[in-house]
Amino acid sequence: MPYVARVPRLSPIVLLVLLLSLPGAGPVQAADRPGVTVSESQAGAGGSVTVRGSGWRPRALLTLLVCGQAEPSRGVTGGTNSCANADGRAVTTDADGRFRRRLPVVEPPVPCPCVVHVETVAGARAEADTALQVAGHAVEPLPADRAGGRLSLLADTRLRGSGGLLTWFGSPPARTLEVTVGNVGTSPVRDPVFQVGTSHGVFAPQWQDQRWRGTIRPGGKARIELPVELAAGAHGDYTVSLKYGGKVLAEHPWGVGRPWGVTLFWGLALLVVPAALFRAGLAVVDHVRPRRPGHAARPARRRVQLRLPATARRSAPPWFTPDADQKET
């Protein structure tokens, strides 16, 4: 009689728990994307709204800004220069990537449509926008030439240039950012305005608007060259970012060497200046110290020795001899 193994009967609940505990079992959940909402879709300047967010990195530092000339689908077209930066707020997400923060409503420096723009300060970059109507603020349509034109990065970025003698002595480091972009939209992009930002460490990028003169046809590409410059004496690890239409197209690291010429200059100054001051002090002390009475007025004596010619010394008899002295006595 063959041996038949008996399997214990499991209840449906226990069987479901075992199936869900297996690796890869259960429904696949989509990864959370950063999102943001506001308590009111319209508010007047001087009021405030409650901003809520979810899907962000845990313990991430975020900035909240009211920006003009922006839409959630297109982002902040004018960069952070279109935002009320002085009245922004900062918030840190909790362990679940959520936050809640009260944000004052102010009029941005450019007309609406307006959004509440939320962006990470450090680490992997993430951003999200939600519409906000600022009551009483001017409203203008977004530029029509960007509606169908969208730029995308086609090749890796490159920083061209190198430092020189002036940079070694603290002159502002400068490079040229080179990127290849293509128009993946349905309309040409004319004279696009890019935002070039530089960040150091955990600080947020400082954006500057730079216009590139030219037209990129639909399906075409162009090589973009934009100047990048840091502050005088800057050194360390920097990141150069390129943004267009509110979206970051590229990021490139930039390691800036220390201006050792400045260190050498100050090192020499610390040696030369004290030595010069010491010599000047000795000269002043020697000039003002009191003299002994009669010491300064008495000229230095000079010993004068008269020497006769050699012939005179041989022919002249001595004026004193021992015999002459005895005769006189």
Side-chain angles (χ1 to χ4, degrees):
M1 182 176 180
Y3 176 78
V4 178
R6 294 181 177 273
V7 179
R9 299 180 62 182
L10 300 176
S11 64
I13 298 178
V14 175
L15 183 61
L16 180 61
V17 171
L18 291 176
L19 291 176
L20 292 177
S21 62
L22 293 176
V28 178
Q29 297 181 354
D32 292 338
R33 297 186 59 184
V36 59
T37 59
V38 290
S39 58
E40 301 177 10
S41 60
Q42 179 178 355
S48 61
V49 294
T50 300
V51 184
R52 295 181 176 87
S54 61
W56 300 84
R57 294 197 317 271
R59 310 302 180 188
L61 180 61
L62 311 176
T63 57
L64 288 68
L65 298 171
V66 176
C67 304
Q69 287 291 280
E71 290 180 349
S73 60
R74 295 179 53 184
V76 184
T77 59
T80 53
N81 291 334
S82 303
C83 305
N85 298 296
D87 297 284
R89 293 293 184 270
V91 65
T92 302
T93 60
D94 58 15
D96 298 328
R98 300 176 180 272
F99 72 88
R100 176 181 177 181
R101 188 72 161 87
R102 200 73 178 169
L103 178 67
V105 178
V106 294
E107 296 185 359
V110 296
C112 285
C114 299
V115 300
V116 173
H117 179 74
V118 183
E119 184 176 352
T120 55
V121 175
R125 189 177 181 278
E127 61 181 0
D129 301 309
T130 185
L132 174 65
Q133 184 177 355
V134 181
H137 192 55
V139 179
E140 293 182 3
L142 296 179
D145 58 345
R146 295 184 181 179
R150 293 184 295 118
L151 298 182
S152 177
L153 184 68
L154 299 181
D156 294 337
T157 60
R158 178 192 174 197
L159 280 178
R160 179 169 52 85
S162 59
L165 181 61
L166 295 180
T167 306
W168 200 66
F169 280 96
S171 180
R175 297 289 188 275
T176 299
L177 179 65
E178 296 181 353
V179 296
T180 301
V181 297
N183 187 355
V184 296
T186 58
S187 64
V189 178
R190 298 181 178 88
D191 299 337
V193 177
F194 296 91
Q195 286 81 45
V196 179
T198 55
S199 59
H200 181 51
V202 299
F203 296 99
Q206 301 294 326
W207 301 100
Q208 292 183 352
D209 293 344
Q210 296 191 22
R211 182 179 297 274
W212 182 79
R213 299 292 180 180
T215 301
I216 307 176
R217 302 287 181 182
K221 64 179 181 179
R223 187 69 176 175
I224 308 297
E225 296 184 359
L226 301 172
V228 184
E229 184 175 293
L230 301 178
H235 62 277
D237 295 329
Y238 286 80
T239 300
V240 181
S241 304
L242 180 68
K243 182 190 290 187
Y244 176 77
K247 304 297 180 181
V248 175
L249 298 180
E251 291 182 343
H252 195 282
W254 183 8
V256 183
R258 183 181 295 273
W260 292 109
V262 178
T263 305
L264 178 62
F265 170 79
W266 286 112
L268 294 176
L270 292 177
L271 294 176
V272 174
V273 173
L277 293 177
F278 178 75
R279 292 179 62 88
L282 289 180
V284 172
V285 170
D286 185 68
H287 181 73
V288 300
R289 69 178 180 180
R291 303 287 184 176
R292 293 182 180 180
H295 178 74
R298 184 182 303 172
R301 294 183 178 180
R302 298 180 59 185
R303 300 182 61 183
V304 180
Q305 182 177 2
L306 300 177
R307 300 176 62 90
L308 297 176
T311 55
R313 290 198 302 267
R314 288 195 299 265
S315 59
W319 60 275
F320 170 78
T321 59
D323 298 338
D325 188 28
Q326 295 178 359
K327 291 179 179 181
E328 292 180 358
T329 57

